[in-house]
């Protein structure tokens, strides 16, 4: 099968896009898994070093069995995580936008 130069370049771009998409999906899965493991480790560490004891006093964080003093640490950790995700998504969006503008 013979390609014209234009068709050949179009096919190369199509295949490169597929390869890039597959690689990005793999990287995303790896990063999502590592982020989940880090979050679990963070909660385990907070629970371990908070000096919490099981007492009769219940708190909103009953599933973690943490003292009420630990709530601030959990709140800060959660906000830090959300902020990190937000910054990552913003950088990714800006990078894709700049890439699309460079192609034009």
């Amino acid at each position: 099968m013979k390609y014209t130069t234009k068709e050949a370049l179009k096919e190369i771009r199509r295949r490169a896009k597929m390869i890039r998409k597959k690689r990005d999906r793999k990287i995303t899965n790896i990063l999502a898994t590592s982020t989940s493991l880090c979050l679990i480790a963070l909660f385990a560490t907070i629970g371990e070093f908070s000096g919490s004891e099981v007492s009769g006093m219940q708190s909103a964080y009953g599933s973690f069995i943490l003292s009420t003093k630990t709530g601030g640490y959990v709140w800060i950790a959660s906000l830090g995580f959300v902020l990190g995700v937000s910054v990552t998504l913003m950088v990714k969006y800006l990078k894709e936008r700049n890439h699309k503008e460079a192609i034009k």
Side-chain angles (χ1 to χ4, degrees):
M1 174 184 250
K2 287 192 171 188
Y3 286 113
T4 64
T5 304
K6 196 173 191 177
E7 290 173 339
L9 288 174
K10 189 175 183 179
E11 181 66 20
I12 290 170
R13 284 191 200 114
R14 185 185 69 79
R15 289 182 185 185
K17 186 177 180 181
M18 286 176 24
I19 291 170
R20 207 174 301 117
K21 191 180 271 190
K22 188 175 182 180
R23 186 194 68 208
D24 289 346
R25 192 176 311 125
K26 182 179 179 182
I27 290 172
T28 302
N29 288 337
I30 290 170
L31 291 175
T33 303
S34 64
T35 301
S36 299
L37 292 175
C38 287
L39 187 62
I40 291 168
L42 175 69
F43 283 142
T45 304
I46 289 173
E48 185 67 29
F49 293 116
S50 67
S52 64
E53 300 173 4
V54 178
S55 64
M57 190 164 103
Q58 293 182 344
S59 70
Y61 306 105
S63 62
F64 296 119
I65 310 175
L66 298 176
S67 68
T68 54
K69 296 176 185 177
T70 313
Y73 294 110
V74 173
W75 181 247
I76 295 296
S78 300
L79 283 177
F81 179 74
V82 169
L83 181 64
V85 170
S86 301
V87 169
T88 302
L89 291 174
M90 185 178 69
V91 167
K92 186 176 179 183
Y93 169 76
L94 292 173
K95 185 178 176 182
E96 286 178 2
R97 191 178 78 178
N98 289 340
H99 180 70
K100 287 179 183 177
E101 288 177 3
I103 291 174
K104 290 180 182 179

